[in-house]
Amino acid sequence: MEHGDKANWFRRMTAPEKRTFIAAFGGWALDALDFMVFTFVISTLIGLFKIDRAQAGLLATITLLFSAIGGWLAGMLADRFGRVRVLQLTILWFAVCTLLIGFAQSFWQVFLLRALQGLGFGGEWAVGSVLMGEIVRTEYRGRAVGTVQSGWAVGWAVAAILYTVLFSALPENYAWRALFWVGVLPALLVLFIRKRVPEPELFRRTRAQEEASAARVSPWAIFSPALIKTTVLGALLCTGLQGGYYAVTTWLPTFLKSERHLSVIGTGGYLLVIILGSFIGYLAGAYLTDRLGRRANLIIFALLCGACIFAYTRLPLSNEQMLFLGFPLGFAASGIFSGVGAYLTELFPSAVRANGQGFAYNFGRGIGALFPSLVGYLAKTAPLGVAIGIFAGGAYLVVLIATLLLPETKGREIS
């Protein structure tokens, strides 16, 4: 009976838990849609605005850097004004900025809007993850928060489909704009959240206690002696996760094309295999984080990521083998993220939970955003495969070290 209960966890969730799950899943999927459309129109923007690859890369980096700022800021605001209210704000901000990119007339206009877009992008995950973690009960928390991460693969797949449809039906100079105009869709999710998603009881109780005692918790409390170890190790964990992911996903296609001369990398089939692997990896990680524990899940996926990096950069692979290896790459590189949301939620106390989680995850994103540039810099004096291996492999080693130094939180009742 117990196994059946766990297998049907979504059906057994309460109505507020289900509505919160739907809102968080939809928000993350739509964020992925809005964020990933940029990856499909890079070549179009290079030609349209007469920019070089370095400038195009800057458009990607600026969003990630500002998302680090936005995630921490949104976390602090969510601890002060509420998870639901700030989640609505971040979704609206992200949606409007994405829509406006479709009207941009120059590189610098896109640059500015991509920076502003990043503020909302970072905030949505930080606040939505905390909201999920506080509303969903302990025994389902890992699976629920982890499964929300699979929404990224769904949004990525929808972006790929829309790209194919719009660039087939419209001239290129209009199609790229239409892709960003679709970015207004997340705004509709706010209507659902306003009516159906409650503020967590735990947050309301914590705020009432603060108001009754007239003692407001400082946003700098995450650096107090009681929490500094958790904050630093959490930030290192997230730096490893995201630095490894960005180093691999940014440079691996270039490595396989330029040094291995494999043509399959540029095909839609290869992309779909990676997306499918990512989706299943998210679901597997969500299950394992509750089944085996937060630390064991992270260790397993970090080792899988290291194995995939070794296979891609060291083994002589054919086009056919590369196509099939896209699945374990997507599985490992994406699945490792499933357990981190619930883990961070359980590591921080309620009064600074969104603040601490927002800082740790988005500090990792900000530093991780530099990894592609570091790989490129090292690749000037070393083979690209070696550069990828050093930074991506090193990143997942950091994940292992941070995980071993952090406590296990499986089954922990949050307060």
Side-chain angles (χ1 to χ4, degrees):
M1 177 64 69
E2 183 181 354
H3 179 74
D5 287 348
K6 290 183 177 180
N8 296 299
W9 62 270
F10 183 80
R11 184 168 60 84
R12 296 180 182 278
M13 289 169 70
T14 64
E17 287 175 328
K18 288 180 179 178
R19 290 195 296 267
T20 304
F21 176 89
I22 291 169
F25 185 96
W28 196 229
L30 290 169
D31 269 10
L33 166 63
D34 285 1
F35 184 80
M36 294 306 292
V37 294
F38 174 76
T39 66
F40 293 103
V41 303
I42 290 176
S43 59
T44 299
L45 296 179
I46 288 175
L48 180 66
F49 294 131
K50 310 300 181 187
I51 60 177
D52 57 29
R53 289 185 178 181
Q55 290 174 300
L58 189 59
L59 292 177
T61 299
I62 194 64
T63 303
L64 294 173
L65 290 176
F66 270 74
S67 72
I69 300 171
W72 190 19
L73 177 61
M76 288 189 285
L77 292 175
D79 281 337
R80 180 73 178 89
F81 300 106
R83 285 52 166 134
V84 174
R85 185 181 301 177
V86 177
L87 179 63
Q88 294 175 62
L89 175 63
T90 60
I91 292 174
L92 280 174
W93 183 284
F94 186 69
V96 170
C97 290
T98 305
L99 173 70
L100 291 176
I101 291 174
F103 294 98
Q105 300 297 317
S106 69
F107 164 80
W108 289 111
Q109 289 179 13
V110 176
F111 179 86
L112 175 62
L113 290 168
R114 288 278 294 175
L116 295 174
Q117 181 193 46
L119 294 176
F121 174 66
E124 197 281 334
W125 186 92
V127 180
S129 181
V130 172
L131 176 65
M132 278 286 297
E134 290 186 336
I135 285 185
V136 176
R137 72 194 84 167
T138 302
E139 59 264 39
Y140 298 151
R141 185 181 299 123
R143 269 163 290 184
V145 178
T147 302
V148 163
Q149 293 276 167
S150 70
W152 184 269
V154 173
W156 187 5
V158 172
I161 293 170
L162 285 174
Y163 166 77
T164 302
V165 171
L166 291 175
F167 272 73
S168 298
L170 298 173
E172 185 180 30
N173 59 329
Y174 288 108
W176 78 270
R177 296 185 183 277
L179 267 178
F180 285 106
W181 291 336
V182 173
V184 76
L185 288 176
L188 302 177
L189 185 65
V190 172
L191 300 177
F192 174 84
I193 294 173
R194 283 179 64 87
K195 292 181 177 295
R196 308 301 298 277
V197 178
E199 197 68 63
E201 176 60 32
L202 179 60
F203 169 77
R204 291 200 296 263
R205 188 167 63 247
T206 301
R207 288 292 299 142
Q209 292 171 351
E210 288 181 6
E211 291 174 0
S213 64
R216 183 178 300 175
V217 178
S218 167
W220 302 105
I222 60 173
F223 303 110
S224 67
L227 288 175
I228 185 65
K229 179 182 177 182
T230 297
T231 301
V232 170
L233 290 176
L236 285 175
L237 171 66
C238 294
T239 297
L241 290 174
Q242 298 185 87
Y245 182 82
Y246 294 139
V248 170
T249 56
T250 301
W251 284 108
L252 200 58
T254 301
F255 166 73
L256 295 172
K257 282 181 181 179
S258 62
E259 297 194 13
R260 293 294 179 82
H261 309 293
L262 298 178
S263 59
V264 70
I265 307 307
T267 67
Y270 180 77
L271 180 61
L272 290 176
V273 168
I274 287 186
I275 292 175
L276 178 62
S278 296
F279 180 72
I280 296 177
Y282 283 129
L283 296 181
Y287 172 78
L288 291 175
T289 196
D290 272 345
R291 181 72 175 175
L292 302 179
R294 309 332 187 200
R295 298 169 78 217
N297 179 68
L298 286 166
I299 290 170
I300 289 170
F301 273 94
L303 293 174
L304 285 175
C305 287
C308 287
I309 293 167
F310 178 83
Y312 268 86
T313 59
R314 294 300 181 190
L315 300 182
L317 301 169
S318 65
N319 269 314
E320 292 74 19
Q321 291 169 329
M322 191 60 62
L323 180 63
F324 287 111
L325 271 177
F327 184 89
L329 175 66
F331 181 92
S334 296
I336 195 171
F337 285 90
S338 287
V340 72
Y343 197 23
L344 292 175
T345 293
E346 292 160 351
L347 285 170
F348 290 96
S350 180
V352 294
R353 178 165 292 123
N355 179 8
Q357 187 161 336
F359 173 82
Y361 191 84
N362 289 286
F363 177 90
R365 178 180 279 156
I367 301 300
L370 302 177
F371 273 50
S373 298
L374 295 172
V375 170
Y377 180 79
L378 181 58
K380 292 180 179 180
T381 56
L384 181 55
V386 171
I388 294 173
I390 288 175
F391 281 101
Y396 291 117
L397 179 61
V398 169
V399 171
L400 290 173
I401 294 172
T403 301
L404 291 172
L405 293 175
L406 283 165
E408 177 58 67
T409 61
K410 177 187 174 184
R412 176 180 292 183
E413 295 290 344
I414 60 176
S415 61

